[in-house]
Structures are given as structure tokens and as C-alpha cells.
Amino acid sequence: QVQLVESGGGLVQAGGSLRLSCAASGRTFSNYAMGWFRQAPGKERELVAAISWSGSSTYYADSVKGRFTISRDNAKNTVYLQMNSLKPEDTAVYYCAARYFRTVVTGTPDYWGQGTQVTVSS
């Protein structure tokens, strides 16, 4: 089993930056593809970014391309989401997710974190 704990959320002004972190338990972190999802008020949960188990491939939603960067450090059992040039429409609860080997882009994650709130003000 894998436990995921997000951190790094908070309040930031438009144009600012935040870096979210997701710490995973266990010693098999490198076997999991990872992703970040978000859910804004009145909207469905959407995939923001994803990274393969090896870190060799990444995916980004069109709305965040060029602004967000997903990365992972398997030695630290941690995945990151660097968010730059934040906009008010980025306001949402952000969730870390994991899926054994298979990508989270086309499949349902096996594990979810509790979420961290990101609020972007103008």
C-alpha cells in the first residue's frame, strides 16, 4: 500500500508561484506513475499533470502548459508540482495520486492524497 501526503498549498497573488510536494510511504515509490489532479468549486476533478514511474515522460493539461512543471525524486519518495504565473482560475484543491506502473492519464489512480488548498487572488 501507498500513503500520499500533500503539502505546500496556500494563498498567493496572481502571477506568483507555489511548489506542491507529495510524500509517499513505502519503498516501492519508483514503481508508481504519479499525477496531480485538482477540483475547483462547482467543477469536476481534472488531471493537471502526470509523470511516468521512471520520470521519462510527462503530461500537462492545456490550461497549465508552460506554467506548471511536474517532477519526482524517487530517492526521497516525493513528487513535486512547481506552479508559476498562477491565475485566479488555478484556485482549487490539489490532489496527489498514484497508479502502479500504468499512467494516470488513461487509467484510474490506485491511491489518493487528502488534498491541499491552493488559492490565487488578484
Side-chain angles (χ1 to χ4, degrees):
Q1 61 179 356
V2 175
Q3 290 183 319
L4 306 173
V5 180
E6 302 98 333
S7 63
L11 175 64
V12 65
Q13 291 192 353
S17 299
L18 284 174
R19 188 177 76 163
L20 305 183
S21 298
C22 175
S25 66
R27 299 182 179 181
T28 59
F29 176 74
S30 62
N31 294 336
Y32 290 83
M34 305 293 297
W36 287 95
F37 292 74
R38 69 185 181 187
Q39 187 166 22
K43 299 181 65 177
E44 295 184 354
R45 187 172 299 185
E46 63 175 347
L47 176 64
V48 176
I51 188 167
S52 64
W53 65 271
S54 66
S56 62
S57 63
T58 57
Y59 164 89
Y60 298 96
D62 289 341
S63 60
V64 305
K65 284 183 178 178
R67 299 189 297 120
F68 291 10
T69 302
I70 188 171
S71 62
R72 67 190 298 162
D73 186 340
N74 289 346
K76 295 183 177 180
N77 285 1
T78 303
V79 63
Y80 305 94
L81 184 67
Q82 179 67 46
M83 305 184 294
N84 298 325
S85 301
L86 284 163
K87 305 175 181 180
E89 48 264 47
D90 294 320
T91 295
V93 177
Y94 284 71
Y95 299 90
C96 179
R99 189 183 185 204
Y100 189 63
F101 279 120
R102 298 292 189 89
T103 178
V104 300
V105 177
T106 59
T108 302
D110 298 311
Y111 304 98
W112 294 89
Q114 293 298 111
T116 184
Q117 177 70 48
V118 172
T119 302
V120 184
S121 63
S122 60

